[in-house]
Amino acid sequence: MGYWFSEGYQVFVADDGDQILGTYFLHPNQKGGGSHVANCGYITAALASGRGIARRMCEHSLEYAKSRGFRAMQFNFVVKTNKRAVRLWLSLGFTIVGTLPEAFLHPVSGYTDAYVMYRQL
């Protein structure tokens, strides 16, 4: 919880009026010379799976980041086996700009790659 609300993070919540469906944070990916690139982390509630909540949160984050002067967005660690996320980010214009070999120990699949994904705004 402390990480999610770290200094410099902006936190957003998606809800349907009654329940929280998801949340994301946005902050500069790096300090100093890299602060024009945004970074986000997203969580969607299990009850909201398959309802387009992650897509809408990402679309909102892209628009919001651009309105705040960010020039790009970067995801530093997208696990290769998270095929839904990889597919979603690619459909929203992100490209895989790097692969971290066997950077994640998946509880079922074992060691798997993680991607660095990037998109200009």
Side-chain angles (χ1 to χ4, degrees):
M1 178 88 109
Y3 178 78
W4 206 260
F5 291 100
S6 295
E7 184 178 338
Y9 284 40
Q10 292 183 280
V11 178
F12 300 84
V13 173
D15 66 39
D16 65 3
D18 295 319
Q19 297 178 317
I20 294 176
L21 304 176
T23 182
Y24 78 88
F25 66 76
L26 181 140
H27 69 109
N29 191 52
Q30 300 290 325
K31 295 180 180 179
S35 64
H36 62 285
V37 178
N39 174 263
C40 289
Y42 308 86
I43 296 177
T44 303
L47 65 96
S49 182
R51 293 175 46 188
I53 303 302
R55 174 175 293 279
R56 289 197 298 270
M57 287 193 301
C58 187
E59 289 169 343
H60 181 268
S61 68
L62 293 167
E63 293 170 15
Y64 186 82
K66 186 173 183 176
S67 77
R68 295 301 183 263
F70 288 101
R71 297 175 48 104
M73 187 171 294
Q74 179 174 318
F75 300 147
N76 299 317
F77 201 91
V78 181
V79 177
K80 179 180 180 178
T81 56
N82 189 348
K83 295 184 184 305
R84 288 177 69 184
V86 172
R87 192 170 46 248
L88 176 59
W89 305 150
L90 290 171
S91 78
L92 288 168
F94 286 84
T95 58
I96 297 169
V97 296
T99 301
L100 308 169
E102 298 185 348
F104 184 77
L105 179 54
H106 190 278
V108 174
S109 303
Y111 289 100
T112 188
D113 297 347
Y115 298 133
V116 178
M117 300 184 78
Y118 187 85
R119 180 198 148 148
Q120 292 185 319
L121 301 179

